[in-house]
Amino acid sequence: MVSAAARQDAGGAPAGALAGRGLRADAAARRAAPSAAYFGLTGSEPLTILPLTLEPEAAAQAHYKACDRLKLERKQRRMCRRDPGVAETLVEAVSMSALECQYQFRFERWNCSLDGRYRASLLRRGFKETAFLYAISSAGLTHALAKACSAGRMERCTCDEAPDLENREAWQWGGCGDNLKYSSKFVKEFLGRRPGRDLRARVDFHNNLVGVKVIKAGVETTCKCHGVSGSCTVRTCWRQLAPFHEVGKRLKHKYETALKVGSTTNEATGEAVSPPRGRAAGAGVDPLPRTPELVHLDDSPSFCLAGRFSPGTAGRRCHREKNCESICCGRGHNTQSRAVTRPCQCQVRWCCYVECRQCTQREEVYTCKG
């Protein structure tokens, strides 16, 4: 069957040519589609954030139903059912990743718009923004799982015991470390095995691993001293992950320095294309470098006007001295003055409350013109 897009592009082309172009376009679209093995921000459908409170029933069956309500692949659903804590952790990971994405891009033209149609269009293309979504998604799951283990919310994992620190310089292992070893192993299995020679799938897989690597790079050892008069003759130590906001900052920096690799799309038409005849993707010189950086295939759109990839920037709030010129794409901005009432002149009263006055001042709000 010939797609509507193929009929529209072909104009008055003969029926045979239309069919041939349609088949090639469909095949190319399948190659460019994101792997269904991923989840959350990057899956073929987002995880629906549903309340996980269920009707009273056997505890053994409650988390089965929670896993079934999430949009997971068969293997992912099976892994979810193994441990009662996984479903709640998945929902937490998606929410945390989405909020961090929106925070990191709050001053950008693309502000991490994750509405269904924009998100679906983005994931069909190999933009820098797509690379960031894959990385933040896998990082969020890795972080949430490691924390869930150390918090005792999982049955199949517990604290990170880190035996390599035992008895080193009279340190004694203690506390409850975040179990990164378990979570990274779980995430790699959950997100699927290494793809074959398809370049787009390999790029997505690479960016997922970048998210996991950024989590690993942020692990720190925290210690507490024990001994007479606060001496540090014995220390209790455990490993902790960096706050997820720090992870988001590092991934945002990687987004800004992302590397472009061999493209699988025709930049003039936006359609996916096959590698040159006789050269499969991945043959000869590997276009995907061995790097801990994010990689992408296609140049990003401007995101200035409403379209397939974003709602545009018309009406977006901006900061006059910082980013109005950039976000508004040279269209200018509107200025609106409004009265704002906030607590002010606060004092601590004995004992134990804070007393404030209410101060009203005028504030200017800047929004992009359409």
Side-chain angles (χ1 to χ4, degrees):
M1 180 181 292
V2 183
S3 65
R7 289 196 300 270
Q8 182 179 358
D9 291 344
L18 285 174
R21 288 184 60 184
L23 290 173
R24 288 194 298 273
D26 289 344
R30 283 194 298 273
R31 285 192 299 274
S35 169
Y38 298 104
F39 90 108
L41 304 185
T42 56
S44 55
E45 294 184 74
L47 282 184
T48 305
I49 300 180
L50 299 172
L52 296 179
T53 53
L54 305 172
E55 298 79 11
E57 57 184 312
Q61 298 297 320
H63 76 279
Y64 277 40
K65 181 172 288 189
C67 292
D68 292 343
R69 293 169 72 184
L70 300 175
K71 297 177 179 179
L72 301 174
E73 298 296 309
R74 180 181 300 176
K75 177 184 176 182
Q76 294 173 335
R77 187 163 56 249
R78 186 170 63 248
M79 293 179 68
C80 178
R81 287 180 165 192
R82 279 189 224 157
D83 193 316
V86 171
E88 180 182 357
T89 304
L90 285 173
V91 173
E92 177 188 338
V94 172
S95 178
M96 179 173 67
S97 301
L99 289 173
E100 185 61 29
C101 180
Q102 290 161 4
Y103 177 79
Q104 293 298 333
F105 286 86
R106 66 196 185 282
F107 298 134
E108 309 287 339
R109 290 179 183 173
W110 180 71
N111 59 348
C112 197
S113 306
L114 294 175
D115 291 345
R117 63 192 182 100
Y118 301 128
R119 177 181 163 282
S121 296
L122 272 174
L123 292 178
R124 293 191 190 101
R125 299 289 297 276
F127 299 139
K128 288 199 303 182
E129 292 72 23
T130 314
F132 183 88
L133 287 177
Y134 273 90
I136 197 74
S137 185
S138 62
L141 180 53
T142 306
H143 196 281
L145 276 168
K147 290 289 186 181
C149 289
S150 62
R153 302 202 309 265
M154 308 281 286
E155 288 188 355
R156 297 173 70 93
C157 66
T158 181
C159 303
D160 174 28
E161 297 177 357
D164 57 301
L165 287 183
E166 286 182 350
N167 301 320
R168 182 187 301 174
E169 298 179 3
W171 289 9
Q172 291 185 352
W173 188 255
C176 191
D178 298 324
N179 199 334
L180 181 59
K181 181 178 180 181
Y182 177 87
S183 68
S184 58
K185 181 180 178 182
F186 181 99
V187 168
K188 288 178 182 178
E189 183 180 357
F190 188 81
L191 298 184
R193 297 177 180 176
R194 183 179 295 276
R197 304 175 77 177
D198 178 76
L199 181 57
R200 173 61 199 273
R202 291 170 61 216
V203 164
D204 294 340
F205 182 82
H206 171 91
N207 291 325
N208 257 308
L209 291 184
V210 170
V212 177
K213 289 175 181 176
V214 168
I215 295 288
K216 290 183 177 180
V219 175
E220 295 182 350
T221 299
T222 302
C223 293
K224 181 179 180 181
C225 290
H226 304 277
V228 180
S229 300
S231 66
C232 215
T233 54
V234 176
R235 286 184 282 187
T236 300
C237 303
W238 59 93
R239 285 183 180 149
Q240 287 185 319
L241 302 186
F244 196 64
H245 180 53
E246 292 299 318
V247 175
K249 285 171 60 178
R250 292 170 188 168
L251 286 176
K252 178 61 161 38
H253 176 73
K254 288 183 178 293
Y255 160 85
E256 291 166 351
T257 58
L259 305 174
K260 185 177 180 181
V261 296
S263 179
T264 58
T265 61
N266 182 326
E267 295 185 2
T269 64
E271 293 182 353
V273 296
S274 302
R277 183 171 297 179
R279 283 189 60 196
V285 178
D286 191 347
L288 192 61
R290 295 182 180 274
T291 173
E293 304 304 316
L294 293 178
V295 297
H296 64 104
L297 295 167
D298 305 317
D299 294 327
S300 300
S302 68
F303 297 109
C304 286
L305 302 176
R308 289 183 298 163
F309 305 116
S310 79
T313 62
R316 276 274 304 278
R317 187 171 177 176
C318 62
H319 299 268
R320 186 178 64 176
E321 304 299 332
K322 294 182 180 179
N323 62 355
C324 280
E325 183 65 24
S326 172
I327 286 188
C328 300
C329 306
R331 300 189 304 266
H333 58 271
N334 299 314
T335 304
Q336 180 181 6
S337 182
R338 65 181 183 182
V340 179
T341 301
R342 295 189 178 95
C344 65
Q345 300 179 17
C346 297
Q347 294 182 337
V348 178
R349 299 296 186 185
W350 183 267
C351 172
C352 302
Y353 66 94
V354 178
E355 186 179 79
C356 299
R357 295 182 59 189
Q358 295 295 313
C359 299
T360 300
Q361 60 186 32
R362 300 208 67 81
E363 179 183 83
E364 290 188 336
V365 177
Y366 307 100
T367 55
C368 294
K369 293 182 177 180

PDB file of all heavy atoms in Angstrom, residues 51-68:
ATOM      1  N   PRO A  51      -2.061   6.109  38.659  1.00  0.00           N
ATOM      2  CA  PRO A  51      -1.962   5.794  40.084  1.00  0.00           C
ATOM      3  C   PRO A  51      -1.850   4.286  40.254  1.00  0.00           C
ATOM      4  O   PRO A  51      -2.567   3.518  39.609  1.00  0.00           O
ATOM      5  CB  PRO A  51      -3.283   6.326  40.662  1.00  0.00           C
ATOM      6  CG  PRO A  51      -4.217   6.417  39.495  1.00  0.00           C
ATOM      7  CD  PRO A  51      -3.367   6.708  38.294  1.00  0.00           C
ATOM      8  N   LEU A  52      -0.919   3.854  41.082  1.00  0.00           N
ATOM      9  CA  LEU A  52      -0.668   2.430  41.236  1.00  0.00           C
ATOM     10  C   LEU A  52      -1.450   1.832  42.402  1.00  0.00           C
ATOM     11  O   LEU A  52      -1.206   0.696  42.787  1.00  0.00           O
ATOM     12  CB  LEU A  52       0.832   2.183  41.436  1.00  0.00           C
ATOM     13  CG  LEU A  52       1.696   2.567  40.231  1.00  0.00           C
ATOM     14  CD1 LEU A  52       3.160   2.297  40.534  1.00  0.00           C
ATOM     15  CD2 LEU A  52       1.266   1.808  38.997  1.00  0.00           C
ATOM     16  N   THR A  53      -2.386   2.588  42.970  1.00  0.00           N
ATOM     17  CA  THR A  53      -3.220   2.020  44.033  1.00  0.00           C
ATOM     18  C   THR A  53      -4.280   1.144  43.386  1.00  0.00           C
ATOM     19  O   THR A  53      -5.007   1.569  42.497  1.00  0.00           O
ATOM     20  CB  THR A  53      -3.897   3.140  44.834  1.00  0.00           C
ATOM     21  OG1 THR A  53      -4.594   4.021  43.928  1.00  0.00           O
ATOM     22  CG2 THR A  53      -2.859   3.945  45.598  1.00  0.00           C
ATOM     23  N   LEU A  54      -4.349  -0.073  43.807  1.00  0.00           N
ATOM     24  CA  LEU A  54      -5.243  -1.053  43.213  1.00  0.00           C
ATOM     25  C   LEU A  54      -6.280  -1.504  44.232  1.00  0.00           C
ATOM     26  O   LEU A  54      -6.153  -1.275  45.433  1.00  0.00           O
ATOM     27  CB  LEU A  54      -4.450  -2.262  42.709  1.00  0.00           C
ATOM     28  CG  LEU A  54      -3.316  -1.935  41.730  1.00  0.00           C
ATOM     29  CD1 LEU A  54      -2.500  -3.184  41.469  1.00  0.00           C
ATOM     30  CD2 LEU A  54      -3.877  -1.370  40.448  1.00  0.00           C
ATOM     31  N   GLU A  55      -7.320  -2.204  43.746  1.00  0.00           N
ATOM     32  CA  GLU A  55      -8.310  -2.750  44.638  1.00  0.00           C
ATOM     33  C   GLU A  55      -7.648  -3.783  45.548  1.00  0.00           C
ATOM     34  O   GLU A  55      -6.669  -4.420  45.164  1.00  0.00           O
ATOM     35  CB  GLU A  55      -9.428  -3.428  43.828  1.00  0.00           C
ATOM     36  CG  GLU A  55     -10.178  -2.476  42.906  1.00  0.00           C
ATOM     37  CD  GLU A  55      -9.424  -2.163  41.623  1.00  0.00           C
ATOM     38  OE1 GLU A  55      -8.406  -2.855  41.365  1.00  0.00           O
ATOM     39  OE2 GLU A  55      -9.835  -1.245  40.922  1.00  0.00           O
ATOM     40  N   PRO A  56      -8.177  -3.944  46.774  1.00  0.00           N
ATOM     41  CA  PRO A  56      -7.582  -4.935  47.679  1.00  0.00           C
ATOM     42  C   PRO A  56      -7.544  -6.306  47.041  1.00  0.00           C
ATOM     43  O   PRO A  56      -8.534  -6.802  46.523  1.00  0.00           O
ATOM     44  CB  PRO A  56      -8.535  -4.909  48.885  1.00  0.00           C
ATOM     45  CG  PRO A  56      -9.182  -3.563  48.831  1.00  0.00           C
ATOM     46  CD  PRO A  56      -9.312  -3.230  47.378  1.00  0.00           C
ATOM     47  N   GLU A  57      -6.403  -6.917  47.014  1.00  0.00           N
ATOM     48  CA  GLU A  57      -6.227  -8.242  46.452  1.00  0.00           C
ATOM     49  C   GLU A  57      -4.927  -8.814  46.972  1.00  0.00           C
ATOM     50  O   GLU A  57      -4.200  -8.163  47.713  1.00  0.00           O
ATOM     51  CB  GLU A  57      -6.207  -8.195  44.926  1.00  0.00           C
ATOM     52  CG  GLU A  57      -5.146  -7.278  44.364  1.00  0.00           C
ATOM     53  CD  GLU A  57      -5.245  -7.188  42.849  1.00  0.00           C
ATOM     54  OE1 GLU A  57      -5.336  -8.239  42.206  1.00  0.00           O
ATOM     55  OE2 GLU A  57      -5.230  -6.070  42.330  1.00  0.00           O
ATOM     56  N   ALA A  58      -4.636 -10.044  46.613  1.00  0.00           N
ATOM     57  CA  ALA A  58      -3.426 -10.698  47.092  1.00  0.00           C
ATOM     58  C   ALA A  58      -2.207  -9.870  46.700  1.00  0.00           C
ATOM     59  O   ALA A  58      -2.096  -9.398  45.572  1.00  0.00           O
ATOM     60  CB  ALA A  58      -3.332 -12.101  46.513  1.00  0.00           C
ATOM     61  N   ALA A  59      -1.289  -9.682  47.634  1.00  0.00           N
ATOM     62  CA  ALA A  59      -0.100  -8.864  47.380  1.00  0.00           C
ATOM     63  C   ALA A  59       0.700  -9.419  46.210  1.00  0.00           C
ATOM     64  O   ALA A  59       1.305  -8.676  45.453  1.00  0.00           O
ATOM     65  CB  ALA A  59       0.765  -8.809  48.636  1.00  0.00           C
ATOM     66  N   ALA A  60       0.686 -10.726  46.040  1.00  0.00           N
ATOM     67  CA  ALA A  60       1.450 -11.350  44.956  1.00  0.00           C
ATOM     68  C   ALA A  60       0.917 -10.955  43.590  1.00  0.00           C
ATOM     69  O   ALA A  60       1.639 -10.987  42.606  1.00  0.00           O
ATOM     70  CB  ALA A  60       1.441 -12.862  45.112  1.00  0.00           C
ATOM     71  N   GLN A  61      -0.375 -10.598  43.512  1.00  0.00           N
ATOM     72  CA  GLN A  61      -0.984 -10.253  42.237  1.00  0.00           C
ATOM     73  C   GLN A  61      -1.033  -8.745  42.003  1.00  0.00           C
ATOM     74  O   GLN A  61      -1.201  -8.312  40.868  1.00  0.00           O
ATOM     75  CB  GLN A  61      -2.406 -10.818  42.165  1.00  0.00           C
ATOM     76  CG  GLN A  61      -2.473 -12.336  42.238  1.00  0.00           C
ATOM     77  CD  GLN A  61      -1.764 -12.996  41.060  1.00  0.00           C
ATOM     78  OE1 GLN A  61      -1.866 -12.521  39.932  1.00  0.00           O
ATOM     79  NE2 GLN A  61      -1.051 -14.080  41.327  1.00  0.00           N
ATOM     80  N   ALA A  62      -0.896  -7.944  43.051  1.00  0.00           N
ATOM     81  CA  ALA A  62      -1.056  -6.496  42.908  1.00  0.00           C
ATOM     82  C   ALA A  62      -0.029  -5.916  41.948  1.00  0.00           C
ATOM     83  O   ALA A  62      -0.374  -5.127  41.069  1.00  0.00           O
ATOM     84  CB  ALA A  62      -0.945  -5.823  44.275  1.00  0.00           C
ATOM     85  N   HIS A  63       1.245  -6.281  42.082  1.00  0.00           N
ATOM     86  CA  HIS A  63       2.258  -5.689  41.208  1.00  0.00           C
ATOM     87  C   HIS A  63       2.178  -6.266  39.798  1.00  0.00           C
ATOM     88  O   HIS A  63       2.615  -5.637  38.849  1.00  0.00           O
ATOM     89  CB  HIS A  63       3.658  -5.859  41.803  1.00  0.00           C
ATOM     90  CG  HIS A  63       4.229  -7.230  41.687  1.00  0.00           C
ATOM     91  ND1 HIS A  63       3.896  -8.243  42.546  1.00  0.00           N
ATOM     92  CD2 HIS A  63       5.130  -7.760  40.816  1.00  0.00           C
ATOM     93  CE1 HIS A  63       4.557  -9.325  42.221  1.00  0.00           C
ATOM     94  NE2 HIS A  63       5.316  -9.072  41.177  1.00  0.00           N
ATOM     95  N   TYR A  64       1.578  -7.464  39.626  1.00  0.00           N
ATOM     96  CA  TYR A  64       1.343  -7.986  38.281  1.00  0.00           C
ATOM     97  C   TYR A  64       0.419  -7.043  37.522  1.00  0.00           C
ATOM     98  O   TYR A  64       0.666  -6.701  36.364  1.00  0.00           O
ATOM     99  CB  TYR A  64       0.716  -9.373  38.347  1.00  0.00           C
ATOM    100  CG  TYR A  64       1.696 -10.505  38.542  1.00  0.00           C
ATOM    101  CD1 TYR A  64       2.778 -10.374  39.395  1.00  0.00           C
ATOM    102  CD2 TYR A  64       1.520 -11.716  37.876  1.00  0.00           C
ATOM    103  CE1 TYR A  64       3.676 -11.402  39.581  1.00  0.00           C
ATOM    104  CE2 TYR A  64       2.422 -12.764  38.050  1.00  0.00           C
ATOM    105  CZ  TYR A  64       3.494 -12.594  38.904  1.00  0.00           C
ATOM    106  OH  TYR A  64       4.391 -13.618  39.085  1.00  0.00           O
ATOM    107  N   LYS A  65      -0.642  -6.631  38.194  1.00  0.00           N
ATOM    108  CA  LYS A  65      -1.599  -5.741  37.533  1.00  0.00           C
ATOM    109  C   LYS A  65      -0.959  -4.385  37.239  1.00  0.00           C
ATOM    110  O   LYS A  65      -1.204  -3.795  36.180  1.00  0.00           O
ATOM    111  CB  LYS A  65      -2.841  -5.561  38.399  1.00  0.00           C
ATOM    112  CG  LYS A  65      -3.909  -4.674  37.770  1.00  0.00           C
ATOM    113  CD  LYS A  65      -5.195  -4.671  38.577  1.00  0.00           C
ATOM    114  CE  LYS A  65      -5.939  -5.989  38.448  1.00  0.00           C
ATOM    115  NZ  LYS A  65      -7.291  -5.916  39.066  1.00  0.00           N
ATOM    116  N   ALA A  66      -0.133  -3.901  38.170  1.00  0.00           N
ATOM    117  CA  ALA A  66       0.548  -2.623  37.944  1.00  0.00           C
ATOM    118  C   ALA A  66       1.451  -2.711  36.721  1.00  0.00           C
ATOM    119  O   ALA A  66       1.513  -1.784  35.905  1.00  0.00           O
ATOM    120  CB  ALA A  66       1.352  -2.234  39.181  1.00  0.00           C
ATOM    121  N   CYS A  67       2.170  -3.816  36.564  1.00  0.00           N
ATOM    122  CA  CYS A  67       3.050  -3.989  35.398  1.00  0.00           C
ATOM    123  C   CYS A  67       2.243  -4.065  34.111  1.00  0.00           C
ATOM    124  O   CYS A  67       2.651  -3.547  33.067  1.00  0.00           O
ATOM    125  CB  CYS A  67       3.896  -5.255  35.562  1.00  0.00           C
ATOM    126  SG  CYS A  67       5.120  -5.157  36.897  1.00  0.00           S
ATOM    127  N   ASP A  68       1.086  -4.726  34.168  1.00  0.00           N
ATOM    128  CA  ASP A  68       0.259  -4.867  32.973  1.00  0.00           C
ATOM    129  C   ASP A  68      -0.328  -3.527  32.533  1.00  0.00           C
ATOM    130  O   ASP A  68      -0.609  -3.329  31.352  1.00  0.00           O
ATOM    131  CB  ASP A  68      -0.878  -5.867  33.240  1.00  0.00           C
ATOM    132  CG  ASP A  68      -0.374  -7.290  33.409  1.00  0.00           C
ATOM    133  OD1 ASP A  68       0.779  -7.560  33.006  1.00  0.00           O
ATOM    134  OD2 ASP A  68      -1.111  -8.132  33.954  1.00  0.00           O
TER     135      ASP A  68
END
